[in-house]
Amino acid sequence: VGTPPTVLNRPASQFVARFVGAENLFNGTVTAQFEDGVSVQFGDIQFRTAVSAVSGSPVTVCIHPSRVELDGPSETAGIRMCNTIMGTVDRWLNEGNEYRVDVETESMTFTASVRPTTFERLAIETGSELQVSVPPESVHLISNSGASY
């Protein structure tokens, strides 16, 4: 239980995360600790997060679709950005005031919610290659013991 922003942005369990629409839930492991957060490995992907957790801890990586950013493949050509991977649009759905876009990477699918202006600017269609980026402060970890970080 918490304030609405806390429940939406930092759900305490996988059940609550799914209930509030956080579709990007992945099993992961904390791999390193830093002063400003940790690294977490899930599948073949390693992301930084701004939360603290014990290295080696099994966690659920939780990323709300509204926090997933999409860009064209050449937006930062040749520059490897933190928490950025390439993927291909698997499908998309117009939900009125936004589009829900599923982007497949080598090992998993990310769901993003994007505004119509972004959807049109990127000319998104099935098969489009896109960059998927998630700011470290938008990567939430749920302990597999049920605690939230």
Side-chain angles (χ1 to χ4, degrees):
V1 179
T3 65
T6 299
V7 171
L8 287 171
N9 297 319
R10 303 279 180 231
S13 69
Q14 288 184 27
F15 173 80
V16 173
R18 284 187 184 90
F19 184 78
V20 298
E23 299 172 45
N24 299 304
L25 298 173
F26 310 107
N27 291 322
T29 303
V30 175
T31 57
Q33 294 175 297
F34 304 97
E35 284 185 28
D36 60 346
V38 299
S39 274
V40 63
Q41 180 84 33
F42 53 107
D44 63 351
I45 297 169
Q46 186 153 331
F47 273 6
R48 291 283 301 259
T49 178
V51 299
S52 296
V54 177
S55 191
S57 299
V59 294
T60 298
V61 178
C62 175
I63 305 167
H64 197 278
S66 65
R67 305 289 191 241
V68 177
E69 301 170 4
L70 301 179
D71 278 312
S74 62
E75 297 289 325
T76 55
I79 301 172
R80 175 71 172 117
M81 307 268 300
C82 178
N83 294 0
T84 300
I85 54 174
M86 295 301 298
T88 304
V89 175
D90 179 47
R91 63 179 170 250
W92 57 268
L93 175 65
N94 182 339
E95 294 185 330
N97 64 343
E98 66 183 11
Y99 287 82
R100 179 151 324 270
V101 181
D102 288 344
V103 181
E104 279 189 18
T105 67
E106 288 184 23
S107 61
M108 57 196 54
T109 301
F110 285 84
T111 299
S113 298
V114 298
R115 306 289 304 162
T117 53
T118 302
F119 188 88
E120 292 161 5
R121 176 179 59 82
L122 295 173
I124 293 175
E125 55 187 61
T126 302
S128 298
E129 189 175 357
L130 297 173
Q131 287 186 69
V132 176
S133 300
V134 181
E137 61 275 6
S138 297
V139 179
H140 174 58
L141 304 179
I142 301 170
S143 167
N144 283 0
S145 67
S148 182
Y149 293 106

